[in-house]
Amino acid sequence: MKRILTFAAAVLLLMSTLILPAFAAPRFLDVETSYWGNSYIEFAATQGIINGYPSGDGRYYFLPESSVTREEAITMLYRALKSSGDLTSTEDFTSTYQKQLDQHRISGWARSYVAYGLESGILEESELPGFVGEDGNG
């Protein structure tokens, strides 16, 4: 997990060095254009690294003050690698790690990302027990 956090920090540093275009309106309902992190959030959304949370009317929330779950972190890492062309494989390893994913109650939407992390060595199986909290959330 330390490797994920280290990589995520590196991605954020990289994003902070890029000049980003100004957008006329915020992409997310809860992120004003004046919000300090708006340009980073917009960059990550434009690159397909983040999607946000659906509002029910076709628009999305970002929830900028919420903690990132481990499932979300590995998803963003996968998408950042994909966006930069640095994925080692585009194969879906979900079936290879089905037992571990089931055992540790990995959410359906996150399974292919977690499986990629396991296959590529970003995650170790020993890190999975704490991947999903007692409430069933990652």
Side-chain angles (χ1 to χ4, degrees):
M1 194 70 200
K2 288 180 184 178
R3 286 181 270 172
I4 291 173
L5 296 176
T6 301
F7 184 80
V11 168
L12 289 175
L13 285 173
L14 173 65
M15 289 184 335
S16 70
T17 64
L18 300 174
I19 298 173
L20 303 172
F23 294 89
R27 178 183 310 255
F28 300 104
L29 295 169
D30 57 347
V31 180
E32 298 293 328
T33 54
S34 61
Y35 181 69
W36 71 266
N38 182 57
S39 62
Y40 307 113
I41 294 166
E42 288 292 337
F43 173 80
T46 301
Q47 297 300 310
I49 298 168
I50 60 170
N51 295 331
Y53 301 93
S55 67
D57 65 0
R59 297 183 298 168
Y60 292 84
Y61 288 100
F62 178 70
L63 307 177
E65 303 303 323
S66 295
S67 297
V68 173
T69 67
R70 291 178 182 184
E71 288 178 332
E72 291 167 337
I74 192 67
T75 300
M76 289 186 288
L77 178 59
Y78 176 93
R79 291 175 179 170
L81 290 169
K82 183 177 181 181
S83 174
S84 67
D86 290 326
L87 280 179
T88 57
S89 173
T90 57
E91 184 178 342
D92 184 349
F93 298 103
T94 303
S95 61
T96 304
Y97 295 97
Q98 190 68 48
K99 179 181 171 187
Q100 296 90 331
L101 298 170
D102 289 344
Q103 179 182 358
H104 299 291
R105 301 178 308 157
I106 303 301
S107 300
W109 63 266
R111 287 179 171 234
S112 63
Y113 306 116
V114 172
Y116 174 85
L118 291 167
E119 182 68 22
S120 64
I122 295 169
L123 289 174
E124 296 177 12
E125 191 173 339
S126 62
E127 295 176 294
L128 293 181
F131 225 73
V132 177
E134 290 296 317
D135 60 359
N137 295 315

